[in-house]
Each structure stands twice: as structure tokens, then as C-alpha cells.
Amino acid sequence: MSRQPPKKSKGNKKALLPAIITVVVLGLTIVLITKTGIIVPAEMALKDTNGRLQSLVFSPFSKLKLIWKSYLDLVNVREENEVLKAQLAQLENEITTYREALIENRRLKQLLDIKESAPWKGVVAHVIGTDIASWRAVITIDAGKENGIDVDMPVLCQGGLLGRVIESSMAFSKVMLLTDYHSRVAALVQRNRARGIIKGEGSRGCKLDYVKKGVDIQVGDTVVTSGLDGVFPKGLLVGKVKAVGPGDRSDLFQYIAVKPSAKIDEAEEVLVLLRPQKQDE
Amino acid sequence: MNSGHLGCYLEKTCMKAALVFITWIYISLIVETTWCVFCGSTLLHIDLIPALICWYALNDRLLRGTFWVIGAGVLASLFSSLKFFLFPFSYVTAFFTVYFIRSNVLELTRFHAYLITAFISVEILVVQLAGSGNPELLWPWGLIQAGLNMAVAPIVFWICDRSLFILSEIVSKFHHEK
């Protein structure tokens, strides 16, 4: 059985003509619309409507997406926050350490200046404790006989004279401060060379005793060691006169309150001056 | 000496209170002499030692107590520039006082013990201030200090009681293990 080619029917030819006409008319219409711009307002209105619909539908989705993203961010932020907090704590710790080192550096520089200007060689030590009897102005330092320290050696800190060594073990020493009730230092007023004895008065500071009435002493006068006691070398800064009074009628001497130049309550590092004969040994 | 033997030894000699006393004396000596470096030196300070002596005198026998209190005084002397005998002498005097009160008062309450702490604080300060040549400090500083020592006494008594309880538990545990 042979296959015969399909015959072209008259109906097909009739349908082709309207189709061509439709295409031509549509083409002409499109060209006309694009060229003349007649339909632009309608197109824009349609686009706007579409846009509104799109935004209406998209809005919940976008919010949902935002919530999801925020949640993810929060999770990350929480972790990041913890990491940052840890870093902040570490940095604060480091800053404190550096600040402490800076302050210590300043103090040591001041001590170094004193050390260079002091008449004898010195040993730097740290304050590690105070006396259990709180009315005694005595501190413990972390240097002793093995550092060349012995009893009656002068001790300085930033500002001036701090006191003298009263006990010494191999690695530690006790220092009696200027303000201790039992402390005595031979001193003189720098301006007029008036001599006296510096006595400790506890929390009130010190007083310059045995200066006769009538000797001209003024508030602000500088008091230095006189070297007559054989313990402290001459010329170490003790403090400044903060008050002068006539004392009682029966007193032969003036009352002269002295504020120590050394920061006694804040001393953390001290300089112990080694007596020359000890160095020779 | 293994742990069992230690427990047995402690049980036999009843040294628990003495151990608690001397341990806390040492800790308070270390703390009191170092914290002033940071807090600045002031006459008034928190002193736990009178309360510790009071507590110990209420918890141990006369002979052993005297021995340990002298030991505490010697220990305290190492932290001070005062004359060596002043601390043992003042502490033993305080110990005897509390022991005497304890032996003669029938119902000694905790509040009485705190009052006794203030009283023996004055006693200790009188001996030490007079011995170191500063008796003028007793008024008003010494009396205010005694009041402060009385105020911290409840805390000290609580700490010592807890320590004694814990030590007793440990000792009895070792004893049972043996």
C-alpha cells in the first residue's frame, strides 16, 4: 500500500488570507502605537497597577525574609558579641597593665633621679607590708642584708626622705617612717639654717622640735636633714613647714608643724641608701 | 603519717579548735599587714585577732590554749616592730580573762561573747600601747577600735564555727575510713 501526499485544500487557502491581514493590521497598530505614543498613559496605568500588586504580594515575603535574616544576624551578633566582650576584657586588662607599668615607670624615673643626686649608692625595694600595730608607722620592704641593707640606713622615696631601716633580715627589712611616734631626725631650716629635731606625730605628720622662740620660721620654709645625727647624710629633703605656733607659755621652743615631702601613704617603691663603709666591705 | 593516722591523732588530742585558731590568726596577720599598703595607713582598721582569741578561749582547755595563744603572740611579733614580749603577753592576758569568765558564768550567750571581745580588745590595746610608749592613743582611738572589733566578732565567730565544723567532718571521715 503506497502513501499518497496530502492534497492542498481550498479551505486552507481561505484561512491564510485573514491571518495575513490580522498580522499586518497588528503590526501596523504596534508601529502606530510606539511611534505616536497614544497608548502610553494606559500602559503606565497598567504598569502601576502591576507594581502595586507586586509590592503587595512581595511585602510579606520581604518582611519574612527580613525576620529570617535578622534572626541569622542575631545568632551571629550574639556570638560576635561574646567574642568582642572577651576581647574588650582582655584589652582592658592590657590597658590596666600598661597604665600600671607607665605609672611605675614614672615613679622609678623619679627614684632614679633621687638615686643619681643622692650622696650614697642605693638599692631600690618594694613595699610589701605594714606593721600589725596600726599606730606604728613601720613598713616592710623586700630587700635585706643580702642586698647590702643594714640597720639605720636612710630610706627615700619620690619627694624626699621616708625614714630609716630599723630591722633587717636576709631578704626583708623594716623601715620606720618619719611620721612614727618614735622617729627622730636631725634637721635644719634651709633658709636660715635653724637647727632642730624632726619628730613623728602619727597621722598629723611631723614637727620640728627644739627651735627656740624668736627664731624666724615661716610657713613654706624647706626643711632638710642636717647630718648631725650620724644616720642621715646632710641635705636630704624632709618637708615643708605647714604651721608655726608659739607653743605654751612654759615652752622654751616654738611649735613647728612640718609636712613631709615624701608621699608616705602612697610609697610603693623606695630607695635605701647604702652607707659608704658598707659598700667598702 | 597517712591521712587515717592524722585523723586519729587529731581526734585524740582534740586539736581542731587550736588548728582553726592558729590558721585564722596567720591568715588575718597576713591580710591585715598587706591590705594597708593598698588602702592607706589609718589608725582604725579591721582587726580579727581579739575576736579569734575570744572564740578560742571559749572552745579549748586552759593549758593547751595558753600554749597556742603564746604561739599566736610570737607569730604576731614577727609582723611588728613592737617589743617581742608585748604580743604574747597581751594575748595570753586576754585569753585568761575570757577563760575566767567562761569558767564562772553559767549561761554565756553569743552577745556576751561579743561584748567580751570588745573588753579584751581594750585589754590588749592597753598592754600594747603602754608597752610601746603611746598610752595617749587609748582615748579615743583605742576604745573606737575596740568597738569595731566587737562589730566584726559575729563574722569571726561564724567563720571559726564553720571551719571547726568542716574540720570535724573531715576528721570523722578519716576516722571512719580507718
Side-chain angles (χ1 to χ4, degrees):
Chain A
M1 203 168 132
S2 62
R3 187 181 281 181
Q4 288 181 350
K7 289 178 184 174
K8 287 180 180 175
S9 63
K10 274 187 179 177
N12 276 350
K13 281 179 183 173
K14 280 179 186 173
L16 192 65
L17 191 64
I20 289 166
I21 291 165
T22 310
V23 169
V24 170
V25 169
L26 268 176
L28 283 171
T29 312
I30 289 166
V31 169
L32 198 72
I33 286 167
T34 48
K35 290 286 178 190
T36 56
I38 296 167
I39 202 123
V40 168
E43 185 194 348
M44 281 173 70
L46 273 172
K47 278 181 180 172
D48 283 351
T49 314
N50 289 345
R52 281 196 189 97
L53 274 171
Q54 273 178 329
S55 70
L56 205 69
V57 176
F58 179 75
S59 172
F61 282 112
S62 74
K63 276 181 185 165
L64 211 64
K65 192 183 175 188
L66 193 70
I67 290 166
W68 177 245
K69 197 170 178 293
S70 302
Y71 170 72
L72 288 178
D73 282 351
L74 264 180
V75 173
N76 292 336
V77 164
R78 190 182 298 156
E79 287 167 1
E80 200 179 343
N81 195 22
E82 279 168 12
V83 173
L84 285 172
K85 268 185 183 172
Q87 281 179 351
L88 187 70
Q90 195 185 344
L91 285 172
E92 274 178 355
N93 197 23
E94 277 179 21
I95 287 170
T96 312
T97 312
Y98 290 141
R99 199 173 287 156
E100 197 61 28
L102 189 73
I103 294 166
E104 190 178 5
N105 191 23
R106 272 187 209 146
R107 285 199 308 260
L108 289 174
K109 263 187 181 172
Q110 286 173 340
L111 268 186
L112 198 65
D113 290 342
I114 297 169
K115 194 177 178 180
E116 280 167 3
S117 63
W120 303 338
K121 282 186 180 175
V123 173
V124 175
H126 294 89
V127 179
I128 56 159
T130 56
D131 199 297
I132 187 73
S134 59
W135 64 94
R136 294 299 306 269
V138 174
I139 56 168
T140 309
I141 58 170
D142 62 350
K145 286 186 191 296
E146 60 188 17
N147 305 93
I149 293 173
D150 211 345
V151 173
D152 278 346
M153 285 184 171
V155 182
L156 311 177
C157 75
Q158 306 98 298
L161 185 66
L162 186 72
R164 66 183 170 92
V165 177
I166 52 167
E167 279 176 37
S168 185
S169 64
M170 285 311 285
F172 299 97
S173 303
K174 280 182 181 164
V175 177
M176 183 197 279
L177 306 181
L178 279 179
T179 51
D180 189 86
Y181 288 100
H182 299 271
S183 169
R184 303 285 185 270
V185 180
L188 55 84
V189 178
Q190 204 172 36
R191 185 173 55 84
N192 59 4
R193 320 307 286 176
R195 287 183 190 150
I197 302 285
I198 289 281
K199 285 183 176 178
E201 287 204 299
S203 54
R204 283 176 291 170
C206 311
K207 66 174 179 179
L208 182 63
D209 221 346
Y210 306 119
V211 178
K212 282 181 185 170
K213 285 181 176 175
V215 177
D216 175 34
I217 305 289
Q218 291 170 6
V219 174
D221 276 348
T222 304
V223 180
V224 295
T225 53
S226 65
L228 292 176
D229 50 17
V231 175
F232 301 97
K234 192 176 180 179
L236 295 178
L237 179 63
V238 175
K240 289 195 182 291
V241 174
K242 68 173 179 184
V244 183
D248 291 339
R249 268 190 172 181
S250 57
D251 282 347
L252 293 171
F253 308 106
Q254 301 184 53
Y255 174 78
I256 304 165
V258 175
K259 187 185 179 190
S261 297
K263 292 171 182 169
I264 286 177
D265 282 342
E266 296 164 23
E268 287 179 48
E269 288 92 19
V270 298
L271 180 73
V272 185
L273 295 184
L274 304 175
R275 211 181 302 282
Q277 61 264 31
K278 293 288 170 189
Q279 289 173 39
D280 296 341
E281 282 169 18
Chain B
M1 185 187 282
N2 62 27
S3 55
H5 286 119
L6 176 71
C8 184
Y9 178 73
L10 288 171
E11 196 68 38
K12 275 180 188 169
T13 56
C14 299
M15 276 174 60
K16 294 185 284 285
L19 272 178
V20 168
F21 168 70
I22 206 73
T23 306
W24 281 110
I25 282 278
Y26 191 68
I27 291 169
S28 59
L29 281 171
I30 294 279
V31 173
E32 283 175 33
T33 51
T34 49
W35 85 311
C36 289
V37 176
F38 301 103
C39 302
S41 56
T42 51
L43 273 180
L44 270 182
H45 69 294
I46 293 171
D47 188 6
L48 309 180
I49 293 170
L52 281 168
I53 292 171
C54 184
W55 177 85
Y56 183 54
L58 296 171
N59 282 283
D60 210 345
R61 286 184 233 146
L62 183 65
L63 200 61
R64 186 173 50 231
T66 310
F67 173 78
W68 281 101
V69 170
I70 289 173
V74 171
L75 203 60
S77 300
L78 302 176
F79 289 86
S80 178
S81 56
L82 295 190
K83 283 171 188 143
F84 190 74
F85 68 91
L86 277 176
F87 281 95
F89 182 64
S90 59
Y91 289 177
V92 166
T93 312
F95 179 81
F96 285 164
T97 307
V98 181
Y99 194 85
F100 178 79
I101 294 168
R102 169 193 149 182
S103 308
N104 290 282
V105 177
L106 284 178
E107 286 185 22
L108 196 66
T109 65
R110 268 295 152 98
F111 182 69
H112 292 144
Y114 305 150
L115 278 176
I116 294 168
T117 302
F119 180 72
I120 64 163
S121 294
V122 175
E123 199 177 329
I124 290 170
L125 282 171
V126 164
V127 173
Q128 292 181 357
L129 287 171
S132 67
N134 302 100
E136 74 278 4
L137 291 175
L138 187 66
W139 174 262
W141 170 75
L143 298 184
I144 298 170
Q145 182 64 55
L148 187 66
N149 293 349
M150 181 186 161
V152 296
I155 303 165
V156 174
F157 275 60
W158 184 82
I159 290 170
C160 289
D161 285 341
R162 290 300 302 168
S163 305
L164 188 62
F165 174 74
I166 292 165
L167 190 63
S168 303
E169 289 284 304
I170 294 167
V171 169
S172 62
K173 193 181 165 192
F174 284 145
H175 197 62
H176 286 308
E177 273 178 11
K178 196 191 169 226

